[in-house]
Amino acid sequence: MNTRTLWIDHQEALDAWVIHAKSASWLGVDTEFERVRTFFPRLCLLQMATSEQAVCIDPLAELDWDGVRALISEPQPVKIFHAARQDLEVLQQHFSVVPGAFFDTQIAAAFCGYGEQVGYARMVKEICDVSLSKAFTRTPWCRRPLSEAEVQYALDDVHYLGTLYHTLLAGLQDRGREAWLTEDCEALICEESLCKAEHAPIEKVMRACAGMDRVSQSVALSLARWREDLARGVDRPREWLISTDTLIELAQARPQNTQALSAVMGLEKGTLKRRGEEILDVIRESETPDSDFVAMSRPTRPDPAEKALGNALWKYLGEVCEREGVPPSAIAPRNEIRALAAGKRNLRVLSGWRRSFIGELLLERVDPAGSSSP
């Protein structure tokens, strides 16, 4: 097969593909992107497949993408991804669009007994009995031209999605878990989920600063936010601008002048020259913790009874999940179970299908009298 016939970098071919794909019952989607020198992912390749054909579309070509935007955003055909989170971010960044309806085969696999965060290659081997090549995992996908073998490798990433979809959909239907998949896919593109992803790097810094005093933690929070805004503005990786280790060192030292700032070992001379006054301003202005800091502060250590309850709830969750063939992490992370033991109720495990599956049973072990309350 000549893979160049499946390479789209001209408008006429793209328009013909969109017309074909619109009439399909499903559409496999994958992306290849680079994020080495930029804050935002750079889309290098868009792969799509129907039951009849798989193609690679070149985002570096001068093309009108309106047809692709409509194809992705409309409810039909259903879009199939494997581990969709990063692909969704890339599509939103590049095309300002999210899928109208989609099916994540990794999430579905967890609900069908294949385990936690199972990879695409393993699913293809187990369901299709095909061993995929790993030869091009480090390919610089924005390089042109790509070789025939590299294009074929990229095509393989969508070629088998339809078979996975039909197999896993049948598995969900047999287990009565279709609604689980629908709810969790919708959650990936809701505003709350998108905001949570944006705040994840800041929360990572705060976890690293858990042992500091409150003033240092407040400074760390402000520096993390400043770095995030700067990285977005100049489209450079946050670690290129200032490393997390250096940020934490700044929060601990809290230098008040240029001389003290220059003594921070991890701070590069170029950063000191270009951003020194900005950094000092952020430190000075954040030494009084504000309400935002209080909201992001880590909770106090649980008392022995609360810790024991959290452990018991986690053990019970594990027992139920083992019986039902579902990874506990697909139901709730351990920190959410700890939060439940600490008295919090605005939790994912207490909403949607998770509440009826396990949430009410967990509440009975925490507070029998209040287990039926919303």
Side-chain angles (χ1 to χ4, degrees):
M1 176 179 62
N2 182 355
T3 55
R4 287 299 167 193
T5 63
L6 306 178
W7 177 268
I8 295 177
D9 59 3
H10 290 85
Q11 194 65 47
E12 183 178 356
L14 180 59
D15 292 344
W17 166 256
V18 169
I19 291 171
H20 161 74
K22 279 183 177 180
S23 62
S25 59
W26 56 265
L27 181 67
V29 184
D30 189 38
T31 65
E32 304 296 346
F33 59 91
E34 292 181 0
R35 205 174 196 167
V36 177
R37 299 174 178 82
T38 60
F39 179 88
F40 297 105
R42 184 188 182 196
L43 180 61
C44 304
L45 203 60
L46 174 62
Q47 304 103 289
M48 289 186 168
T50 66
S51 59
E52 299 177 21
Q53 189 180 38
V55 298
C56 289
I57 307 173
D58 187 2
L60 307 186
E62 292 293 330
L63 298 169
D64 182 340
W65 294 95
D66 286 348
V68 171
R69 290 188 182 92
L71 183 62
I72 294 172
S73 63
E74 291 172 1
Q76 293 297 325
V78 61
K79 268 60 70 175
I80 309 168
F81 297 81
H82 185 85
R85 188 181 299 276
Q86 286 189 312
D87 295 313
L88 296 174
E89 179 187 357
V90 173
L91 292 173
Q92 184 184 44
Q93 173 64 30
H94 193 81
F95 298 120
S96 300
V97 69
V98 294
F102 73 98
F103 185 105
D104 190 320
T105 55
Q106 187 179 74
I107 297 175
F111 295 158
C112 290
Y114 287 92
E116 179 183 8
Q117 294 186 336
V118 60
Y120 175 73
R122 181 186 145 196
M123 293 301 300
V124 171
K125 179 61 178 175
E126 291 200 21
I127 292 176
C128 308
D129 196 24
V130 173
S131 297
L132 295 178
S133 169
K134 298 180 181 179
F136 301 104
T137 55
R138 297 187 180 277
T139 292
W141 291 105
C142 280
R143 171 178 47 76
R144 297 292 184 270
L146 295 171
S147 70
E148 293 272 334
E150 288 168 335
V151 173
Q152 185 58 59
Y153 176 91
L155 290 170
D156 283 344
D157 281 346
V158 289
H159 179 75
Y160 300 97
L161 283 173
T163 303
L164 301 190
Y165 165 66
H166 287 298
T167 302
L168 293 169
L169 179 60
L172 293 173
Q173 291 169 340
D174 289 344
R175 294 166 174 80
R177 294 174 180 174
E178 274 188 279
W180 293 19
L181 190 282
T182 299
E183 183 179 315
D184 279 22
C185 285
E186 290 176 350
L188 283 178
I189 56 176
C190 72
E191 185 174 350
E192 180 181 353
S193 178
L194 296 174
C195 289
K196 185 176 181 181
E198 288 183 2
H199 285 90
I202 296 174
E203 292 176 353
K204 180 180 179 181
V205 171
M206 296 308 293
R207 287 194 297 271
C209 297
M212 295 183 186
D213 61 78
R214 289 176 63 81
V215 174
S216 294
Q217 288 184 357
S218 177
V219 172
L221 174 60
S222 294
L223 286 171
R225 286 174 169 167
W226 168 80
R227 182 182 68 169
E228 204 71 9
D229 290 342
L230 179 61
R232 287 176 179 275
V234 299
D235 193 21
R236 289 291 180 268
R238 58 181 68 85
E239 292 288 331
W240 280 26
L241 300 176
I242 182 169
S243 72
T244 297
D245 288 344
T246 301
L247 191 152
I248 293 170
E249 188 179 355
L250 285 167
Q252 289 176 316
R254 305 203 299 273
Q256 298 297 305
N257 53 56
T258 303
Q259 182 177 359
L261 187 64
S262 63
V264 175
M265 294 187 62
L267 195 63
E268 296 181 358
K269 290 182 179 179
T271 303
L272 179 64
K273 182 178 180 180
R274 291 190 303 271
R275 311 287 183 188
E277 287 302 322
E278 285 183 65
I279 294 171
L280 289 172
D281 287 343
V282 171
I283 293 171
R284 294 173 188 133
E285 292 170 5
S286 59
E287 288 188 318
T288 301
D290 59 17
S291 58
D292 286 342
F293 164 74
V294 173
M296 291 195 70
S297 297
R298 289 175 61 84
T300 57
R301 288 183 175 273
D303 60 40
E306 184 181 303
K307 184 176 180 180
L309 176 59
N311 291 338
L313 293 175
W314 182 252
K315 180 181 178 182
Y316 176 69
L317 174 63
E319 292 169 351
V320 173
C321 288
E322 183 176 6
R323 185 172 68 245
E324 297 293 334
V326 183
S329 61
I331 307 302
R334 187 154 192 166
N335 61 354
E336 188 168 304
I337 299 302
R338 292 193 184 107
L340 178 62
K344 294 187 178 180
R345 295 296 179 265
N346 184 25
L347 302 169
R348 193 183 187 195
V349 75
L350 299 181
S351 65
W353 64 265
R354 287 175 172 80
R355 185 176 185 108
S356 57
F357 174 72
I358 191 67
E360 290 287 357
L361 296 173
L362 291 171
L363 279 174
E364 288 177 5
R365 285 157 175 74
V366 176
D367 180 15
S371 61
S372 61
S373 60

Coordinates of all heavy atoms in Angstrom, one line a residue, residues 39 197-210 212 215-233 236-252 278-287 290 292-293 296:
F39 N 4.8 26.2 25.4 CA 3.8 26.0 26.5 C 2.6 25.2 25.9 O 2.1 24.2 26.5 CB 3.4 27.3 27.1 CG 2.3 27.1 28.2 CD1 2.7 26.9 29.5 CD2 1.0 27.2 27.9 CE1 1.8 26.8 30.5 CE2 0.0 27.0 28.9 CZ 0.5 26.8 30.2
A197 N -7.5 21.0 35.0 CA -6.3 20.7 34.3 C -5.4 22.0 34.2 O -4.2 21.8 34.4 CB -6.6 20.3 32.8
E198 N -6.0 23.1 34.1 CA -5.2 24.4 34.1 C -4.5 24.6 35.4 O -3.4 25.2 35.5 CB -6.0 25.6 33.7 CG -6.5 25.6 32.2 CD -7.3 26.8 31.9 OE1 -7.5 27.7 32.8 OE2 -7.7 26.9 30.7
H199 N -5.2 24.2 36.5 CA -4.6 24.5 37.8 C -3.7 23.4 38.3 O -3.1 23.6 39.4 CB -5.8 24.7 38.8 CG -6.5 26.0 38.7 ND1 -7.6 26.2 37.9 CD2 -6.2 27.2 39.3 CE1 -8.0 27.5 37.9 NE2 -7.2 28.1 38.8
A200 N -3.6 22.3 37.6 CA -2.8 21.2 38.1 C -1.4 21.5 38.4 O -0.8 21.1 39.4 CB -3.0 20.0 37.1
P201 N -0.7 22.3 37.5 CA 0.7 22.6 37.8 C 0.9 23.5 39.0 O 1.9 23.3 39.8 CB 1.1 23.4 36.5 CG 0.2 23.0 35.4 CD -1.1 22.7 36.1
I202 N -0.1 24.3 39.3 CA 0.0 25.2 40.5 C -0.3 24.3 41.8 O 0.4 24.4 42.8 CB -1.1 26.3 40.4 CG1 -0.8 27.2 39.3 CG2 -1.1 27.1 41.7 CD1 -1.8 28.3 39.0
E203 N -1.2 23.4 41.7 CA -1.4 22.5 42.8 C -0.2 21.6 43.1 O 0.0 21.2 44.2 CB -2.7 21.6 42.5 CG -4.0 22.5 42.5 CD -5.2 21.7 42.2 OE1 -5.0 20.5 41.8 OE2 -6.3 22.2 42.2
K204 N 0.5 21.2 42.0 CA 1.7 20.4 42.2 C 2.7 21.2 43.0 O 3.4 20.6 43.9 CB 2.3 20.1 40.8 CG 3.5 19.2 40.9 CD 4.0 18.9 39.5 CE 5.3 18.1 39.5 NZ 5.8 17.7 38.1
V205 N 2.9 22.5 42.7 CA 3.8 23.3 43.5 C 3.4 23.4 44.9 O 4.2 23.2 45.9 CB 3.9 24.7 42.9 CG1 4.6 25.7 43.8 CG2 4.5 24.7 41.5
M206 N 2.1 23.5 45.2 CA 1.6 23.6 46.5 C 1.8 22.3 47.3 O 2.1 22.3 48.5 CB 0.1 24.0 46.5 CG -0.2 25.4 45.9 SD 0.8 26.7 46.7 CE 0.1 26.7 48.4
R207 N 1.7 21.2 46.6 CA 1.9 19.9 47.3 C 3.4 19.8 47.7 O 3.7 19.3 48.8 CB 1.6 18.7 46.4 CG 0.1 18.5 46.3 CD -0.2 17.2 45.7 NE 0.3 17.0 44.3 CZ -0.3 17.4 43.2 NH1 -1.6 17.9 43.3 NH2 0.2 17.2 42.0
A208 N 4.3 20.3 46.9 CA 5.7 20.3 47.2 C 6.1 21.2 48.3 O 7.1 21.1 49.0 CB 6.5 20.7 45.9
C209 N 5.2 22.2 48.6 CA 5.5 23.2 49.6 C 4.7 22.9 50.9 O 4.6 23.8 51.8 CB 5.1 24.6 49.1 SG 6.1 25.2 47.7
A210 N 4.2 21.7 51.0 CA 3.3 21.4 52.2 C 3.9 21.6 53.5 O 3.3 21.9 54.5 CB 2.8 19.9 52.0
M212 N 6.1 23.9 54.4 CA 6.6 25.2 54.7 C 5.6 26.0 55.6 O 4.5 25.5 55.8 CB 6.7 26.0 53.4 CG 7.8 25.5 52.4 SD 7.8 26.6 50.9 CE 9.0 25.7 49.9
V215 N 3.4 31.7 55.2 CA 3.9 32.9 54.4 C 4.6 32.3 53.2 O 4.4 32.8 52.0 CB 4.8 33.8 55.2 CG1 5.4 34.9 54.3 CG2 4.0 34.5 56.3
S216 N 5.5 31.3 53.4 CA 6.2 30.8 52.3 C 5.3 30.1 51.3 O 5.5 30.2 50.1 CB 7.3 29.8 52.8 OG 8.3 30.4 53.5
Q217 N 4.3 29.4 51.8 CA 3.3 28.8 50.9 C 2.6 29.8 50.1 O 2.3 29.6 48.9 CB 2.3 27.9 51.7 CG 2.9 26.7 52.3 CD 1.9 25.8 53.0 OE1 0.7 26.2 53.2 NE2 2.3 24.7 53.5
S218 N 2.2 30.9 50.7 CA 1.5 32.0 50.0 C 2.4 32.6 48.9 O 1.9 32.8 47.8 CB 1.1 33.1 51.0 OG 0.5 34.2 50.3
V219 N 3.7 32.7 49.2 CA 4.6 33.2 48.2 C 4.7 32.2 47.0 O 4.8 32.5 45.8 CB 6.0 33.5 48.8 CG1 7.0 33.8 47.7 CG2 5.9 34.7 49.8
A220 N 4.8 30.9 47.4 CA 4.9 29.9 46.4 C 3.7 29.9 45.4 O 3.9 29.7 44.2 CB 5.1 28.5 47.0
L221 N 2.5 30.0 46.0 CA 1.3 30.1 45.2 C 1.4 31.3 44.2 O 1.0 31.1 43.0 CB 0.1 30.2 46.1 CG -1.3 30.4 45.4 CD1 -1.6 29.2 44.5 CD2 -2.4 30.6 46.5
S222 N 1.7 32.4 44.7 CA 1.8 33.6 43.8 C 2.9 33.4 42.7 O 2.6 33.8 41.6 CB 2.1 34.8 44.7 OG 1.0 35.1 45.5
L223 N 4.0 32.9 43.1 CA 5.1 32.7 42.1 C 4.6 31.6 41.1 O 4.9 31.8 39.9 CB 6.3 32.2 42.8 CG 7.1 33.2 43.6 CD1 8.3 32.6 44.4 CD2 7.7 34.3 42.6
A224 N 3.9 30.6 41.5 CA 3.4 29.6 40.5 C 2.4 30.2 39.6 O 2.5 29.9 38.4 CB 2.8 28.4 41.3
R225 N 1.6 31.0 40.1 CA 0.6 31.7 39.2 C 1.3 32.7 38.2 O 0.9 32.7 37.1 CB -0.4 32.4 40.1 CG -1.4 31.5 40.7 CD -2.3 32.3 41.7 NE -3.4 31.5 42.2 CZ -4.2 31.9 43.2 NH1 -4.0 33.1 43.8 NH2 -5.2 31.2 43.6
W226 N 2.2 33.4 38.8 CA 3.0 34.3 37.9 C 3.7 33.6 36.8 O 3.7 34.0 35.6 CB 4.0 35.1 38.8 CG 5.0 35.8 38.0 CD1 4.9 37.1 37.4 CD2 6.4 35.4 37.7 NE1 6.0 37.4 36.7 CE2 7.0 36.5 36.9 CE3 7.1 34.3 38.0 CZ2 8.3 36.4 36.5 CZ3 8.4 34.2 37.6 CH2 9.0 35.2 36.8
R227 N 4.4 32.5 37.1 CA 5.1 31.7 36.1 C 4.1 31.1 35.1 O 4.4 31.1 33.9 CB 5.8 30.5 36.8 CG 6.6 29.7 35.8 CD 7.3 28.5 36.5 NE 6.4 27.5 37.0 CZ 6.8 26.3 37.4 NH1 8.1 26.0 37.5 NH2 5.9 25.4 37.9
E228 N 2.9 30.7 35.5 CA 1.9 30.1 34.6 C 1.5 31.2 33.6 O 1.4 30.9 32.4 CB 0.7 29.5 35.4 CG 0.0 28.5 34.7 CD 0.7 27.2 34.6 OE1 1.8 27.0 35.2 OE2 0.3 26.3 33.8
D229 N 1.2 32.4 34.1 CA 0.7 33.4 33.2 C 1.8 33.8 32.3 O 1.5 34.1 31.1 CB 0.3 34.7 34.1 CG -1.0 34.4 34.8 OD1 -1.7 33.5 34.5 OD2 -1.2 35.2 35.8
L230 N 3.1 33.9 32.7 CA 4.2 34.2 31.9 C 4.4 33.2 30.8 O 4.6 33.5 29.6 CB 5.4 34.4 32.7 CG 6.7 34.8 32.0 CD1 6.6 36.1 31.3 CD2 7.9 34.8 32.9
A231 N 4.3 31.9 31.2 CA 4.5 30.8 30.2 C 3.5 30.8 29.1 O 3.8 30.7 27.9 CB 4.5 29.5 30.9
R232 N 2.2 31.1 29.5 CA 1.2 31.2 28.5 C 1.4 32.4 27.6 O 1.2 32.3 26.4 CB -0.2 31.4 29.2 CG -0.7 30.2 29.9 CD -2.0 30.4 30.6 NE -2.5 29.2 31.2 CZ -3.2 28.3 30.6 NH1 -3.6 28.5 29.3 NH2 -3.7 27.2 31.2
G233 N 1.8 33.5 28.2 CA 2.0 34.8 27.4 C 3.1 34.7 26.4 O 3.0 35.2 25.3
R236 N 6.2 29.5 26.1 CA 7.4 28.7 26.4 C 7.1 27.8 27.6 O 6.3 28.1 28.5 CB 8.6 29.6 26.8 CG 9.1 30.4 25.6 CD 9.8 29.5 24.6 NE 10.3 30.2 23.4 CZ 9.7 30.3 22.3 NH1 8.5 29.8 22.2 NH2 10.3 30.9 21.3
P237 N 7.8 26.6 27.7 CA 7.6 25.7 28.8 C 7.8 26.4 30.1 O 8.8 27.1 30.3 CB 8.6 24.6 28.5 CG 8.8 24.6 27.1 CD 8.7 26.1 26.7
R238 N 7.0 26.1 31.1 CA 7.2 26.8 32.4 C 8.5 26.5 33.0 O 9.1 27.4 33.6 CB 6.0 26.4 33.3 CG 5.9 24.9 33.6 CD 4.7 24.6 34.6 NE 3.4 24.9 33.9 CZ 2.8 24.0 33.2 NH1 3.3 22.9 32.9 NH2 1.6 24.3 32.7
E239 N 9.0 25.3 32.8 CA 10.3 24.9 33.4 C 11.5 25.6 32.7 O 12.6 25.8 33.3 CB 10.5 23.4 33.4 CG 9.6 22.6 34.3 CD 9.9 22.8 35.8 OE1 11.1 23.0 36.1 OE2 9.0 22.6 36.6
W240 N 11.3 26.1 31.5 CA 12.3 26.9 30.8 C 12.4 28.2 31.4 O 13.5 28.8 31.5 CB 12.0 27.0 29.3 CG 12.3 25.8 28.5 CD1 12.4 24.5 28.9 CD2 12.6 25.8 27.1 NE1 12.7 23.7 27.8 CE2 12.8 24.5 26.7 CE3 12.6 26.8 26.1 CZ2 13.1 24.1 25.4 CZ3 12.9 26.5 24.8 CH2 13.2 25.1 24.5
L241 N 11.3 28.8 31.9 CA 11.3 30.1 32.5 C 11.9 30.2 33.9 O 12.8 31.0 34.2 CB 9.9 30.7 32.5 CG 9.3 30.8 31.1 CD1 7.8 31.2 31.2 CD2 10.0 31.7 30.2
I242 N 11.5 29.3 34.7 CA 12.0 29.1 36.0 C 11.6 27.7 36.5 O 10.4 27.4 36.4 CB 11.5 30.2 37.0 CG1 12.1 30.1 38.4 CG2 10.0 30.3 37.0 CD1 11.8 31.3 39.2
S243 N 12.5 27.0 37.0 CA 12.2 25.6 37.4 C 11.4 25.6 38.7 O 11.4 26.5 39.5 CB 13.5 24.8 37.6 OG 14.2 25.2 38.8
T244 N 10.7 24.5 38.9 CA 9.9 24.3 40.1 C 10.8 24.3 41.3 O 10.4 24.9 42.3 CB 9.0 23.0 40.0 OG1 8.1 23.2 38.9 CG2 8.2 22.8 41.3
D245 N 11.9 23.7 41.2 CA 12.8 23.6 42.4 C 13.3 25.0 42.7 O 13.4 25.4 43.9 CB 14.1 22.8 42.0 CG 13.7 21.3 42.0 OD1 12.7 20.9 42.5 OD2 14.6 20.5 41.4
T246 N 13.6 25.9 41.7 CA 14.0 27.2 42.0 C 12.8 28.0 42.5 O 13.0 28.9 43.5 CB 14.5 27.9 40.7 OG1 15.6 27.2 40.2 CG2 14.9 29.3 40.9
L247 N 11.6 27.8 42.0 CA 10.5 28.5 42.5 C 10.3 28.2 44.0 O 10.0 29.1 44.8 CB 9.2 28.1 41.7 CG 7.9 28.9 41.9 CD1 7.1 28.8 40.6 CD2 7.1 28.3 43.1
I248 N 10.4 26.9 44.4 CA 10.3 26.6 45.8 C 11.4 27.2 46.6 O 11.2 27.6 47.8 CB 10.3 25.0 45.9 CG1 9.0 24.5 45.3 CG2 10.4 24.6 47.4 CD1 9.0 23.0 45.1
E249 N 12.6 27.2 46.1 CA 13.7 27.9 46.8 C 13.5 29.3 47.0 O 13.7 29.9 48.1 CB 15.0 27.7 46.0 CG 16.3 28.1 46.7 CD 17.5 27.9 45.9 OE1 17.4 27.3 44.8 OE2 18.6 28.3 46.3
L250 N 12.9 30.0 46.0 CA 12.5 31.4 46.2 C 11.5 31.6 47.3 O 11.5 32.6 48.1 CB 12.0 32.0 44.9 CG 13.0 32.2 43.8 CD1 12.3 32.5 42.4 CD2 13.9 33.5 44.1
A251 N 10.5 30.7 47.3 CA 9.4 30.8 48.3 C 10.0 30.6 49.7 O 9.5 31.3 50.7 CB 8.4 29.8 48.1
Q252 N 11.0 29.7 49.9 CA 11.6 29.5 51.2 C 12.5 30.7 51.6 O 12.4 31.1 52.7 CB 12.5 28.2 51.1 CG 11.6 27.0 51.1 CD 12.5 25.7 50.9 OE1 13.5 25.7 50.1 NE2 12.2 24.7 51.7
E278 N 10.3 41.8 38.6 CA 9.0 41.1 38.7 C 8.9 40.1 39.8 O 7.9 40.1 40.5 CB 8.7 40.4 37.3 CG 8.3 41.3 36.2 CD 8.0 40.5 34.9 OE1 7.0 39.7 35.0 OE2 8.8 40.5 33.9
I279 N 9.9 39.3 39.9 CA 9.9 38.2 40.9 C 9.9 38.9 42.3 O 9.1 38.4 43.2 CB 11.2 37.4 40.8 CG1 11.1 36.6 39.5 CG2 11.3 36.4 41.9 CD1 12.3 35.8 39.1
L280 N 10.7 39.9 42.5 CA 10.7 40.6 43.8 C 9.3 41.2 44.1 O 8.8 41.1 45.3 CB 11.8 41.7 43.9 CG 13.2 41.2 43.9 CD1 14.2 42.4 43.7 CD2 13.5 40.5 45.2
D281 N 8.7 41.8 43.2 CA 7.3 42.3 43.4 C 6.3 41.3 43.8 O 5.5 41.5 44.7 CB 6.8 43.1 42.1 CG 7.6 44.4 41.8 OD1 8.2 44.9 42.8 OD2 7.5 44.9 40.7
V282 N 6.4 40.1 43.1 CA 5.5 39.0 43.4 C 5.7 38.6 44.9 O 4.7 38.4 45.6 CB 5.7 37.8 42.4 CG1 4.9 36.6 42.9 CG2 5.3 38.2 41.0
I283 N 7.0 38.4 45.3 CA 7.3 38.0 46.6 C 6.8 39.0 47.6 O 6.1 38.6 48.6 CB 8.8 37.8 46.8 CG1 9.2 36.6 45.9 CG2 9.2 37.5 48.2 CD1 10.7 36.4 45.8
R284 N 7.0 40.3 47.4 CA 6.6 41.3 48.4 C 5.1 41.4 48.6 O 4.6 41.5 49.7 CB 7.2 42.6 48.0 CG 8.7 42.8 48.0 CD 9.1 44.1 47.4 NE 10.6 44.2 47.3 CZ 11.2 44.6 46.2 NH1 10.5 45.0 45.1 NH2 12.5 44.7 46.1
E285 N 4.4 41.2 47.4 CA 3.0 41.4 47.4 C 2.2 40.2 48.0 O 1.0 40.3 48.2 CB 2.5 41.7 46.0 CG 2.9 43.1 45.5 CD 2.6 43.3 44.0 OE1 2.0 42.4 43.4 OE2 3.0 44.3 43.5
S286 N 2.9 39.1 48.1 CA 2.2 37.8 48.5 C 2.6 37.4 49.9 O 2.2 36.3 50.3 CB 2.5 36.7 47.5 OG 3.9 36.5 47.4
E287 N 3.3 38.1 50.6 CA 3.8 37.7 51.9 C 2.6 37.8 53.0 O 2.8 37.2 54.1 CB 5.0 38.5 52.4 CG 6.2 38.1 51.6 CD 7.5 38.7 52.2 OE1 7.4 39.9 52.6 OE2 8.5 38.0 52.3
D290 N -3.8 35.6 51.2 CA -5.1 36.1 50.9 C -6.1 34.9 50.9 O -5.7 33.8 51.2 CB -5.1 36.8 49.6 CG -4.6 35.9 48.4 OD1 -4.6 34.7 48.6 OD2 -4.3 36.5 47.4
D292 N -7.5 33.5 48.4 CA -7.2 32.4 47.5 C -6.2 31.4 48.0 O -6.3 30.2 47.7 CB -6.6 33.1 46.2 CG -7.7 33.8 45.4 OD1 -8.9 33.5 45.6 OD2 -7.3 34.6 44.5
F293 N -5.2 31.9 48.8 CA -4.3 31.0 49.4 C -4.9 30.1 50.4 O -4.7 28.9 50.4 CB -3.2 31.8 50.1 CG -2.4 30.9 51.0 CD1 -1.4 30.0 50.5 CD2 -2.5 31.0 52.4 CE1 -0.7 29.2 51.4 CE2 -1.8 30.2 53.2 CZ -0.9 29.3 52.7
M296 N -6.6 27.2 48.7 CA -5.7 26.2 48.1 C -4.8 25.5 49.1 O -4.1 24.6 48.8 CB -4.9 26.8 47.0 CG -5.6 27.2 45.8 SD -4.5 27.5 44.4 CE -4.0 25.8 44.0

